[in-house]
Amino acid sequence: MTSGSTVCESDRDIQLAVEPDFVDDIVAAYDGLGRQLELLDVGNQVTILVSGPPQPEQLHRRVQEYFDCWTREAAPVFQEDARQYIASVAALARSAAARSKKCKPTR
């Protein structure tokens, strides 16, 4: 997640949200199952690859860091069901009050 974190509902949404020239600026991306995604600039188009099995602990850590540093909201409570957890993260990310600049992590 970056300061401009975006919740995308589909691969098409990712294509529209990510400019190929800025793919390298993306810190992390995950799909709806909690699998890390690799975003590549291929021929001036963003290509999306799944890079392994679900990583719920890693996803939770990234979400926590994002909410701590970039919003005024607490991150959603971690749930074992990745789909439910990701849905709660997406819902809160859309409405969370953003900080005007990044704060220092508390962890």
Side-chain angles (χ1 to χ4, degrees):
M1 293 187 171
T2 67
S3 62
S5 284
T6 303
V7 175
C8 297
E9 302 292 330
S10 68
D11 287 0
R12 175 81 175 128
D13 290 343
I14 293 172
Q15 295 288 335
L16 295 172
V18 178
E19 295 180 40
D21 291 344
F22 297 99
V23 167
D24 292 338
D25 294 340
I26 296 173
V27 174
Y30 296 87
D31 71 3
L33 298 174
R35 299 178 297 188
Q36 191 159 6
L37 300 176
E38 189 174 343
L39 306 179
L40 306 169
D41 175 8
V42 178
N44 207 28
Q45 182 173 345
V46 177
T47 298
I48 304 161
L49 303 172
V50 174
S51 66
Q55 301 287 327
E57 297 82 16
Q58 185 181 53
L59 170 63
H60 174 63
R61 189 173 57 254
R62 294 278 190 184
V63 166
Q64 192 71 48
E65 289 170 1
Y66 170 75
F67 278 89
D68 286 350
C69 291
W70 293 105
T71 78
R72 300 186 187 285
E73 308 288 336
V77 175
F78 183 69
Q79 300 173 22
E80 290 297 320
D81 182 325
R83 288 179 192 256
Q84 287 181 346
Y85 177 63
I86 291 167
S88 67
V89 169
L92 185 55
R94 286 187 203 100
S95 64
R99 295 182 187 274
S100 56
K101 65 181 192 175
K102 182 180 178 182
C103 71
K104 294 186 191 244
T106 58
R107 296 171 201 268

